[in-house]
Amino acid sequence: MSLNRRSFVQRILLALGATGAPASLRAKQPGPVSNQAGAASPAQAEPAAGYIRPGTIETIHRSFDVVVVGGGISGTCAAISAARNGARTALVHERSTLGGNSSSEVRLYPEDTCSFSPWIKESGILEEITVEERARNWEPYIEGLMNSHWDLVLYEWVKREKNLSLFLNTTMREVVMRNEAHIQAIHAPQLGTEREFILAAPLFIDATGDGVLGFRAGADFHWGKEVQSEFHEVLAPAEPTTGLMGNTLFFRARDTGHPVTFKKPEWAAEFDTEADLTDRGHGHFECGYWWIEVGTPLHPIKNNEEIRDEALRQLLGVWDHIKNHCTDDSVREKARNFALEFVGFWPYKRESRRILGDYTLTEKDVRDPSLHPDDIAYGAWGIDIHVPGGIHERHIPPYPEPRTDENFKQRGTIPYGIPLRACYSRNVQNLLTAGRPIGASYVAFASSRVLPTGAIVGQGAGAAAALCAKYNCAPKTVAADHAGELQQMLLRQDASIPGVENADPDDLARRAQVTASSESALRFPESETFHKATLALGQVFPVATDHVDGVELLLQSSSAQARQVTLSLRRVEHAWDLRPSPVIAKATATVQAGYKGYVPFALHARTRPGSLYFASIDAQPELAWAMFSDIDGRPSQVPVGSTAADLPPGGFWRPFTRGRSLVLRVSPEQRPYTAQNVVRGTNRPDRWTNIFVSDPAQSLPAWIELRFPSPVQCNQVQITFDTDTSRRIALPLFHYPECVKRYEVAIAQGGGWKTIAAEDNNYFRRRVHRFDSVTTNRLRIHVLETNGAAEARIFEVRVYNEKAEA
C-alpha cells in the first residue's frame, strides 16, 4: 500500500477511533474536540474495536497543469478555457452530470442578464453552449423545464478538448498543502469505480460554488453580510445579522390529457389560502418556482440535507395548493389534468463562501463602475437579495425586484468589470476562483452570483491559469504583469470586457481598409404601441456625422390642450451606461391637442462622429412616445447600439431591455453600420455600434472586402457574426435569424476570386477558418444567406498567419 493511501486510511481510523486494526495501521484514540461554540464535546462511549482492510480502493496519481474543482457552468467554462489555451487540465465534479445549478438535476438555466441591460448577452464559451443547446432542444429555455440536452452539450464540449480530462462522480475530500500558501494536490474518491484519485498541479481553480477548495486550503474568506461601515454600502445592514438567502427545489408538471388527483402527504406543508403565498404567482405551474426557497435559520452548506427535506415539504404543499386549494378557479381548472413528472432532490444554492483576493467587488463597483486594468469579465444582473427565510416568510414578498420604480435607484446596476484580482486567493497563492466564490461583498455578490456571470468569469480564470502555466507564475503576477495579454487572449476567443478593445499586433485585419457591397442607414422601426411619459423618456442613437440638425419623435397626445415639450441632447459613453453627462443642445416643440405623429425638434448640434447620443424628454403623463418591440423568433429590427430608457425616482436612467426602442428620425441621415466597423476593435455594441449591416433593401448576397496596404500572408480568418447580443431567445429548435448561415471566404487571385473557406449551415456567432497559407492584398467575405434576416451582419473579422505547432 502506498504512503499516500496509508495516510488516507490512518486518517479514517483516527477519526473512527479504531483500535482493532493491524498494528501497522493502528491509530491512537483522539481526545475531546471542540464543537462550534468552542466548548469541549461530552465524552463518547468507546467505539467497538475494528479496522479497515487495506487494498480495497485503488489509488491513482495524476499530474496536470491546472485542476478545476467543480463542474458547474463556471467550472466547465474555466476548464475548457484553460485546455484551449494549452494547459493540461483536470475537471473534477461530484455529480454525474455537468452544469451544477444549471444541470437537469437542478434545472436552473443560466439567467437572462439581458433583462437588466441591453447589448450585454454573454458571449464566448457560454454562447457556444447555449446556441448549440437551443439548436438541439425541442423544449423552451425556461427554468424548471430543463432536460438532458443541456447536460449532453456540456459533456460534449468538455470531452472534445484534447487537453481536458473529466472526472465525474468524483468528490474532492481532502487538500494536500505543500505549505500554508500553496496547494499541492487533492484527494478525490470516485463513486462506482473503487478508485481514489490524487490529482496534483501547480494551479487550482475553486469552482465549487461553496468555496470548498479554498476553505479546506485555508484561504481567507467572507461569509454572510458585512455591516454598512465595512465597505460603506447603502444596502448592507447597519448592524450584524445572520439572515441569508435560501436554497430552491424545482418541479416539473405535465399535462396528462385527463384529470389527475393529488393527495398531499401528511408531512407536506399546508397552504390553505392565497395569503399564504403573498406575491408568489402560481398561475403558470409547469416548471416550478424559484421562490420555493428554504434558508435561515438553516445553514446553506452544513444543513443542505435538512434544507432538501424542508424544501420537499414546502414544494409538495405548494402543489397541493395549486391542485386543491387555489381560490382562482381558472388555475385549479387548468391544473386538473396536470401531474408531477419531476421533483428536484439536489437544491439550487445561492449563498457561498467568498474567497478574498487582492480586490473585493463592492456595491460601488456594480452601481457606479469604473474600469480596472485587469478586468477579465463583467456582471450585469441587478442586486438581487432575497428575503431571509424564503418561503417560511409566507406573508412577505420573496425579494425586492431590482427593476421596479422604487428599487432601481438602489438595486439597479450598470454592466461592470470583474478584475482578476477578485478571482484568486490573497493568501493561497496558487488558487483561482470562478463562480459564486469570487471576492465580493455580500451586496456585490447578490449581483455577481448568477450563472452567466460565473460562466464568463470561469472563462477568464481558465485563461489566466493557462498564462500562469506559460510563465510559471502565480495569478497575482498575471494580474500585475500580464493582464493586457490575458485580455487580448480573451477578446480573441469571443469574450467581452467593458472598455477593452482589440490591440492584437498579430491581427492583420487591423491594418485593412474595409468596403462593402452596401451599408445600412439608421432606421428606427415604427409602431402603433405608445409608451406613456409618466416618467422621463429617452433614446440612445448612433451618430456618424459631425452635426445633428434635428430629430423627430413619434408622439401621441391625450391632452385636451396643446403641450410644450423640451428635448435635451447629450453624448453618452456606452450603449448601456446612461450616467449623467452635460446637455449639448435643447429644443422645444408644441404638440397639439389629440395629435398623433412625428414632432420635429431643431437642434443644430455639433457632434462627434462615431459616438452615441441620447435624446430625452421630461415626464408628461398626457403624452406618449411610440415604442417598438422585437418579436421572439423573428429578426431583430431594433437598431444595433440603440437603447431606450426611462427615469424612475433616484436619478438613474433605467434601460428598456429585450429588444425595445422608442421611435425617432434623425437629420441628417446617419450611416453607423459601415464595413469598417468589423476592424474597429470590439465584438458587440459598447461605445459604438461596432457592426457591419448591409442595406436590407438590397437582396442578398452581400460582401465585405478587406484591402491590405500591401500583400499579406495568412492562414486563418476569424469571423464574429450576430446572434443578437440584446436578447436571449427561449424558443426550441432555434437558430438566431440575424446570424449568417451560408457564406464564402475568398482572396483576390489572378484577376478573380479564389474561395479558401466556406460554410453552408452556420448558426454560431464565432467561426474560425484555417487553411494553407496564402498571399493576397484583398480578402472578401461573401454572405449568401442568413438564418432569416434580410441583411448581412458581421461584428468582427480577424486575419492571422499562425505559426505551425512544433
Side-chain angles (χ1 to χ4, degrees), residues 57-130:
I57 302 295
E58 179 185 8
T59 300
I60 299 174
H61 295 258
R62 297 281 300 275
S63 294
F64 296 90
D65 297 323
V66 180
V67 172
V68 181
V69 182
I73 192 64
S74 61
T76 298
C77 289
I80 292 171
S81 179
R84 287 182 179 179
N85 286 290
R88 294 178 303 108
T89 304
L91 176 57
V92 179
H93 188 49
E94 64 183 358
R95 315 300 293 179
S96 59
T97 57
L98 294 167
N101 281 341
S102 75
S103 73
S104 64
E105 186 180 25
V106 180
R107 303 199 173 193
L108 175 72
Y109 268 115
E111 298 91 335
D112 185 11
T113 51
C114 300
S115 63
F116 286 91
S117 287
W119 314 114
I120 208 68
K121 187 180 74 172
E122 294 79 7
S123 53
I125 295 169
L126 179 63
E127 163 78 3
E128 297 171 24
I129 292 168
T130 54

Side-chain angles (χ1 to χ4, degrees), residues 278-280 290 386-387 390 393-400:
T278 299
D279 281 2
R280 293 169 172 86
W290 61 263
H386 293 205
V387 171
E393 300 291 342
R394 294 186 174 195
H395 307 296
I396 300 175
Y399 82 125

Side-chain angles (χ1 to χ4, degrees), residues 223-284:
W223 176 264
K225 299 177 180 179
E226 301 89 355
V227 295
Q228 284 182 0
S229 59
E230 183 157 359
F231 295 115
H232 308 289
E233 295 174 311
V234 173
L235 289 175
E239 301 295 333
T241 178
T242 57
L244 299 175
M245 293 183 281
N247 302 350
T248 290
L249 289 181
F250 287 107
F251 65 80
R252 174 72 189 269
R254 287 273 192 189
D255 188 344
T256 66
H258 56 81
V260 178
T261 61
F262 178 74
K263 181 180 178 182
K264 179 179 73 67
E266 291 182 0
W267 49 269
E270 295 183 357
F271 294 87
D272 293 331
T273 69
E274 299 306 308
D276 290 329
L277 291 170
T278 299
D279 281 2
R280 293 169 172 86
H282 45 280
H284 178 76

Side-chain angles (χ1 to χ4, degrees), residues 54-379:
T56 61
I57 302 295
E58 179 185 8
T59 300
I60 299 174
H61 295 258
R62 297 281 300 275
S63 294
F64 296 90
D65 297 323
V66 180
V67 172
V68 181
V69 182
I73 192 64
S74 61
T76 298
C77 289
I80 292 171
S81 179
R84 287 182 179 179
N85 286 290
R88 294 178 303 108
T89 304
L91 176 57
V92 179
H93 188 49
E94 64 183 358
R95 315 300 293 179
S96 59
T97 57
L98 294 167
N101 281 341
S102 75
S103 73
S104 64
E105 186 180 25
V106 180
R107 303 199 173 193
L108 175 72
Y109 268 115
E111 298 91 335
D112 185 11
T113 51
C114 300
S115 63
F116 286 91
S117 287
W119 314 114
I120 208 68
K121 187 180 74 172
E122 294 79 7
S123 53
I125 295 169
L126 179 63
E127 163 78 3
E128 297 171 24
I129 292 168
T130 54
V131 164
E132 181 64 21
E133 188 271 346
R134 282 297 85 203
R136 296 184 189 183
N137 203 333
W138 53 273
E139 288 201 299
Y141 183 107
I142 301 172
E143 64 182 23
L145 295 189
M146 174 74 68
N147 60 31
S148 290
H149 282 286
W150 178 259
D151 306 331
L152 288 167
V153 174
L154 290 174
Y155 177 80
E156 179 180 324
W157 250 240
V158 167
K159 293 295 284 187
R160 70 184 189 179
E161 294 297 331
K162 65 180 182 180
N163 286 329
L164 181 50
S165 297
L166 176 61
F167 298 85
L168 289 175
N169 299 304
T170 305
T171 304
M172 181 204 67
R173 292 297 185 200
E174 294 178 308
V175 176
V176 179
M177 302 297 293
R178 187 169 82 238
N179 52 50
E180 66 179 13
H182 294 88
I183 302 170
Q184 179 174 309
I186 62 168
H187 286 244
Q190 188 176 61
L191 295 178
T193 64
E194 298 181 346
R195 291 174 172 173
E196 181 197 18
F197 292 95
I198 298 176
L199 306 178
L203 261 298
F204 292 81
I205 300 178
D206 187 339
T208 60
D210 289 334
V212 178
L213 175 56
F215 173 67
R216 293 183 183 167
D220 297 336
F221 68 90
H222 273 180
W223 176 264
K225 299 177 180 179
E226 301 89 355
V227 295
Q228 284 182 0
S229 59
E230 183 157 359
F231 295 115
H232 308 289
E233 295 174 311
V234 173
L235 289 175
E239 301 295 333
T241 178
T242 57
L244 299 175
M245 293 183 281
N247 302 350
T248 290
L249 289 181
F250 287 107
F251 65 80
R252 174 72 189 269
R254 287 273 192 189
D255 188 344
T256 66
H258 56 81
V260 178
T261 61
F262 178 74
K263 181 180 178 182
K264 179 179 73 67
E266 291 182 0
W267 49 269
E270 295 183 357
F271 294 87
D272 293 331
T273 69
E274 299 306 308
D276 290 329
L277 291 170
T278 299
D279 281 2
R280 293 169 172 86
H282 45 280
H284 178 76
F285 46 73
E286 290 90 338
C287 53
Y289 308 108
W290 61 263
W291 46 257
I292 300 179
E293 175 182 351
V294 174
T296 301
L298 297 174
H299 191 286
I301 299 174
K302 307 296 185 185
N303 300 123
N304 191 50
E305 291 292 292
E306 292 88 344
I307 286 175
R308 187 267 326 284
D309 294 344
E310 180 60 17
L312 278 173
R313 199 175 78 86
Q314 299 293 326
L315 183 155
L316 293 175
V318 169
W319 184 244
D320 173 61
H321 174 86
I322 291 169
K323 292 284 285 186
N324 301 319
H325 302 288
C326 184
T327 58
D328 186 333
D329 293 340
S330 64
V331 172
R332 262 203 345 274
E333 180 59 29
K334 180 182 175 184
R336 277 168 55 88
N337 292 353
F338 277 78
L340 292 177
E341 176 190 79
F342 164 86
V343 172
F345 274 76
W346 186 253
Y348 151 44
K349 292 188 175 183
R350 294 181 176 86
E351 295 288 347
S352 176
R353 300 180 182 99
R354 305 185 301 282
I355 308 300
L356 297 177
D358 288 331
Y359 191 94
T360 299
L361 285 173
T362 67
E363 182 181 304
K364 183 182 185 304
D365 287 297
V366 305
R367 292 277 294 130
D368 186 21
S370 56
L371 301 180
H372 311 107
D374 58 329
D375 281 335
I376 59 171
Y378 62 87

Side-chain angles (χ1 to χ4, degrees), residues 654-666:
R654 174 179 56 187
F656 292 111
T657 59
R658 295 196 55 78
R660 290 183 286 176
S661 59
L662 297 164
V663 183
L664 58 76
R665 297 194 296 223
V666 184

